[in-house]
Amino acid sequence: MSFVEAQNIWVRYGDAPILERVSIAVERGSFCTIVGASGCGKSTFLRLLLGQERPQRGRVLMEGAVIPAEPTPDRGIVFQRYSVFPHLTAMQNLTLPAAFEQSPFLGRLFGKARREAEEAADAMLAKIGLSHARDRYPAQLSGGMQQRLAIAQALLKRPKILLMDEPFGALDPGIRLDMQTLLLNIWRETGMTIFMVTHDISEAFRLGTRLIVFDKVRHDPQHPTAFGATITYDLKLKDGTALDSFRAAEFLAEQTINQDGAVHV
Amino acid sequence: MSVGPISQIGADEPASLPLSPLPRSREPAAAPAYAPAAASGRMRLINQHPGRGEKILLGALLFVALIIAYSIGSYLRLSANPDDKLLPSLAQMSRAMYEFAFVPDVRSGDYLLWSDTAASLGRLFSGIAISAMIAVGLGVPAGFIPRARATLAPFVAAISLIPPITILPVLFIIFGLGETSKIVLIVIGTAPVMVRYMAQMVTEIPQEQIIKAATLGASTWQMILRVVFPQIMPKLITCIRLSLAPAWIFLISAEAIASTGGLGYRIFLVRRYLAMDVILPYVAWITLIAFALDRLLYLYSKRRYAWAHIEGGAL
């Protein structure tokens, strides 16, 4: 039995089909990178995994059970923006999950519980290299620091799956490399299953153990929104580094051939 | 060297263009364009910024002009007719205010300016405080919980369209002519709009944050406490600042119609005697209080909710 399984998913927004016939099975501990043209349902797929949306047809299973229809702590999320809370300092952002867990009515920690949560948060801050920014608000942090904080925050609940929607899309290339290294280390350490949507094809190859491409297979030139997208490529990369070079080359060739306006990966 | 083409371009420039007093050189580093001090006189108006002192001067300009214009008008009228009541002199107004502020009233023994101010501010603060509580109490559920929104939105939208002054007779009938009806008028006048504003502010919290809180294990109540409330508090202060203007209108109206004290009551009372020497300073005093309240709220927000006032990514 696969860890995460999507079975014949169909999603449409009003008249516009977004996803059709999407089926995939992912093993525990995979690092799936998801690429595809804008508006072809990558983020929709991520929202299905998150439980923020439901498919009109088909189902999404985790460990054999249909995933809950709302976000829960077993699936963490990192967005491109707005992932951390702007009104809380770095430290407060990281003690928040503990407060949610231990203080159902006040949502705040006091005394010993608070000290313990702060110690754990301090350890996490040190791990992601943000100890010096402990008491700063997110607006006072750079984009890279904010995303490190967001990832750290998502990890605190030890989710089984980490979902990332273009987490490094707004970062400078140099910072982006650092973040990729950090993420790979975290992934190796925790053995989490990661789904990451990205626009950066080289990032997708570098990080992923599996590269999933969403694209439309059917096209109606008179009605571009007539058909939804599905998974057109599902490449197994080894260990995220030594990629299956033949299939990758084939894939890249395909992308260059299709420069007729239909595919922009 | 790449100097050649650049200096050639420089040589082709029309003689009137360069602003720099430096002699032409063949070095590209001496190209004129960026000499801010020398160039400021020629810059576009939109790029010329006043310095600190100039800013204060410019800000005071229209106030001074108004006082001067008034003084001239007052002088002209009073020299034609010393009993003129329409434009009292600054001295007459100061005298009247001195009496209101520092001489106890013959009948009641109160210092009228202060007792009026206390009465009016008491009503204003009560009204605004109640409105703010309603705004948070209804606005947050209306903006955050779909079922609460479906229940509240149409009702609040309808209520907010009732012209509050038309309710005033109803309030007088129900609550009598005392304090309650004046405070309720302020609440009815300001609360519905504040509820809608706060609900709007809640819906503008990025959905990402709510989802993130859910993945961190928060219940709806915890989200309200730790994510929604803290983020809308600075908005609530903005909302209160915006609502103060209508609140004053309703306060003065209610006081004008039925009251035994208060700034609005006084203005409408002395109107019978054409006492412009009292009315004008009272209006200025109300304006000053309103301005001070607005600034205080702003400064409080800046101090208490510093995170909401950080602009850009200043480190």
Side-chain angles (χ1 to χ4, degrees), chain B residues 1-297:
Chain B
M1 280 285 278
S2 62
V3 178
I6 294 171
S7 55
Q8 225 158 24
I9 290 167
D12 287 344
E13 276 176 1
S16 61
L17 256 186
L19 302 165
S20 163
L22 292 170
R24 286 248 184 112
S25 144
R26 299 199 68 77
E27 284 296 315
Y34 314 104
S40 68
R42 308 268 191 95
M43 280 199 300
R44 287 176 184 81
L45 269 176
I46 56 161
N47 291 326
Q48 297 177 24
H49 297 280
R52 206 182 153 75
E54 193 188 347
K55 229 176 183 168
I56 295 171
L57 275 178
L58 288 175
L61 192 66
L62 290 179
F63 290 100
V64 175
L66 178 69
I67 293 172
I68 291 175
Y70 180 87
S71 304
I72 294 172
S74 163
Y75 175 76
L76 290 178
R77 283 189 76 99
L78 285 172
S79 47
N81 172 15
D83 289 333
D84 181 71
K85 294 207 133 197
L86 212 56
L87 298 181
S89 70
L90 295 177
Q92 284 172 317
M93 288 195 274
S94 323
R95 216 173 304 130
M97 273 308 96
Y98 176 82
E99 274 178 34
F100 270 80
F102 303 113
V103 179
D105 182 45
V106 196
R107 204 151 46 86
S108 61
D110 288 337
Y111 297 90
L112 288 178
L113 178 65
W114 309 121
S115 65
D116 285 344
T117 305
S120 287
L121 285 184
R123 292 164 190 151
L124 188 77
F125 289 156
S126 314
I128 282 288
I130 294 169
S131 283
M133 280 188 274
I134 295 175
V136 173
L138 295 184
V140 169
F144 199 55
I145 302 169
R147 283 212 167 87
R149 188 209 311 268
T151 314
L152 289 169
F155 185 70
V156 175
I159 293 288
S160 69
L161 293 175
I162 300 174
I165 294 290
T166 60
I167 301 283
L168 192 56
V170 180
L171 300 180
F172 283 150
I173 292 167
I174 298 175
F175 299 111
L177 299 176
E179 293 303 289
T180 319
S181 54
K182 299 182 192 72
I183 293 171
V184 173
L185 179 68
I186 294 175
V187 172
I188 289 179
T190 55
V193 179
M194 288 174 78
V195 170
R196 294 176 79 178
Y197 181 88
M198 293 316 291
Q200 183 63 37
M201 290 301 117
V202 172
T203 59
E204 281 176 15
I205 295 175
Q207 191 61 25
E208 285 89 341
Q209 286 186 27
I210 307 302
I211 291 166
K212 181 84 180 218
T215 64
L216 297 180
S219 65
T220 302
W221 171 245
Q222 287 174 324
M223 286 181 200
I224 290 177
L225 271 191
R226 294 299 314 269
V227 181
V228 177
F229 269 169
Q231 293 202 63
I232 60 161
M233 285 323 273
K235 315 276 188 192
L236 178 65
I237 292 178
T238 307
C239 181
I240 289 175
R241 289 172 62 198
L242 293 174
S243 302
L244 273 174
W248 275 106
I249 296 176
F250 299 124
L251 172 72
I252 303 289
S253 311
E255 287 180 345
I257 294 168
S259 190
T260 53
L263 297 166
Y265 162 76
R266 194 66 54 198
I267 290 179
F268 279 81
L269 181 72
V270 300
R271 176 190 65 92
R272 297 176 198 165
Y273 316 113
L274 291 180
M276 289 291 268
D277 55 340
V278 177
I279 295 176
L280 291 180
Y282 257 66
V283 171
W285 175 237
I286 291 171
T287 311
L288 185 69
I289 294 174
F291 178 77
L293 285 178
D294 185 70
R295 295 313 298 174
L296 280 176
L297 283 168

